[in-house]
Amino acid sequence: MSTLAIDKAGPSRKVKLGSMSRDRTWALRWSYFFLVLFAIFFLTPPVYMLITSLKSSAEISAATNPWWVFHPTLANYVELLTSNQFLRFFWNSSIISIVVVIVTMLISIPAAFALARMKFWGSATLATGVFLTYLIPDSLLFIPLFKMLAVVHEFTGIPLLNRWYVLVFIYPTLTVPFCTWIMIGYFASIPKELDEAALIDGASWLQTLTRIFIPVALPGLIAATIFAFTVSWAQFLYPLVFTTSIDQLVLPVGITTTLIKGDVFNWGQIMTGALLGAAPPLVIYAFLMDYYIAGLTAGATKG
């Protein structure tokens, strides 16, 4: 009886395993299919930008074949990289982004630690409110921010409008809420035994944060840092509103305002400037992508 049972179970088990193998094969094929579509869809714009940046103005105007370079040239790159205006835009964006990252981390790390580990009345509601502030669109915030800066300038005489450093005070309104939310999720995922043991040993909350939580939460810190840098580097609306002079512009606004004159578009240099502007975030993501994914995953699923 037992032998017959085994013989009867054998073919069904083989059919079941074969069916699972076929399902996995088809799932893998569909995964690769959609991955290829995804890659084509998102890589087409930068490839087109690269092709256009290698063309002269005459070849772009001829419009013979937009996807091929008949006479490649680096004149657009040379002209931009030797332009004092472009280098000024790049410098302004770099200084603003670095300072904003520092300010964001100095605010969001202690705030996230307090909301995640130092439980107090209303901490959960406050944490949710911090994230909800990030969801308010920029197009609704720039008007009251502009009025506030105008009032401060009127009463103090400090020139804030049309100054690149004003963006250092404005960008954290975008970066601090989201970075704080990321760090709240990451701090909340750390075992409570660590800070309890540190407090029992006589460590203060500041020592617990700096000596235990920051080293352990390094992926979350890197994710928040990358996000703050990307937002401050690529922001367009705020610098367009708060800065107007050529020497005060940042890279995204400087490219569009100086290379578009009336109805004349210098497409070769526009595409070149866009590629050069995308290089710093691309390099950062290339080296720190694993940390960024780990930090965002913890911030989205914990807390």
Side-chain angles (χ1 to χ4, degrees):
M1 297 293 292
S2 59
T3 304
L4 293 176
I6 293 174
D7 292 339
K8 291 179 180 179
S12 63
R13 185 180 295 110
K14 289 181 180 179
V15 171
K16 191 173 184 179
L17 291 176
S19 177
M20 291 178 61
S21 178
R22 286 195 300 270
D23 291 342
R24 291 178 179 177
T25 301
W26 278 107
L28 186 62
R29 291 176 180 175
W30 280 111
S31 299
Y32 278 112
F33 174 75
F34 286 109
L35 181 61
V36 170
L37 287 181
F38 178 86
I40 293 174
F41 182 78
F42 283 97
L43 289 179
T44 297
V47 170
Y48 181 79
M49 291 165 59
L50 177 62
I51 293 173
T52 306
S53 68
L54 297 175
K55 293 182 178 181
S56 62
S57 298
E59 186 173 351
I60 295 174
S61 301
T64 53
N65 187 347
W67 295 100
W68 187 257
V69 184
F70 294 95
H71 305 287
T73 177
L74 296 176
N76 294 322
Y77 290 89
V78 173
E79 189 167 351
L80 277 186
L81 293 176
T82 56
S83 170
N84 292 329
Q85 280 189 358
F86 181 81
L87 295 178
R88 182 64 182 179
F89 301 154
F90 202 95
W91 174 258
N92 289 345
S93 293
S94 301
I95 294 298
I96 292 171
S97 299
I98 293 172
V99 176
V100 168
V101 167
I102 295 174
V103 172
T104 301
M105 292 298 102
L106 290 177
I107 298 175
S108 61
I109 291 176
F113 180 74
L115 293 173
R117 311 302 292 200
M118 302 171 63
K119 296 297 183 180
F120 53 89
W121 183 84
S123 59
T125 303
L126 182 59
T128 304
V130 167
F131 178 71
L132 291 179
T133 58
Y134 172 73
L135 302 180
I136 301 176
D138 305 351
S139 55
L140 297 180
L141 289 175
F142 79 90
I143 296 178
L145 286 173
F146 191 91
K147 295 291 291 183
M148 291 170 58
L149 293 176
V151 172
V152 172
H153 172 68
E154 181 180 355
F155 283 94
T156 63
I158 301 175
L160 294 176
L161 299 177
N162 195 25
R163 295 293 187 274
W164 64 266
Y165 54 77
V166 72
L167 301 177
V168 174
F169 302 100
I170 295 176
Y171 283 175
T173 61
L174 302 174
T175 58
V176 169
F178 190 75
C179 291
T180 302
W181 180 257
I182 292 177
M183 295 310 303
I184 288 175
Y186 216 95
F187 285 151
S189 67
I190 297 176
K192 295 182 179 180
E193 290 78 9
L194 290 177
D195 50 337
E196 291 175 354
L199 293 175
I200 291 174
D201 290 338
S204 63
W205 282 110
L206 181 60
Q207 291 174 328
T208 304
L209 172 63
T210 56
R211 297 186 180 182
I212 297 178
F213 276 79
I214 289 180
V216 174
L218 186 59
L221 291 174
I222 294 177
T225 301
I226 294 175
F227 174 82
F229 179 84
T230 305
V231 169
S232 56
W233 182 269
Q235 178 59 220
F236 182 81
L237 179 60
Y238 283 171
L240 180 65
V241 173
F242 293 100
T243 56
T244 54
S245 300
I246 296 296
D247 60 334
Q248 304 295 322
L249 298 180
V250 295
L251 194 60
V253 178
I255 291 175
T256 56
T257 55
T258 59
L259 298 180
I260 300 176
K261 300 176 181 179
D263 58 347
V264 178
F265 293 76
N266 192 344
W267 287 115
Q269 292 187 17
I270 291 174
M271 297 300 178
T272 303
L275 286 175
L276 293 175
L282 181 63
V283 172
I284 293 175
Y285 277 100
F287 286 99
L288 301 176
M289 177 59 72
D290 292 339
Y291 292 100
Y292 184 68
I293 294 175
L296 286 182
T297 304
T301 58
K302 302 292 183 181

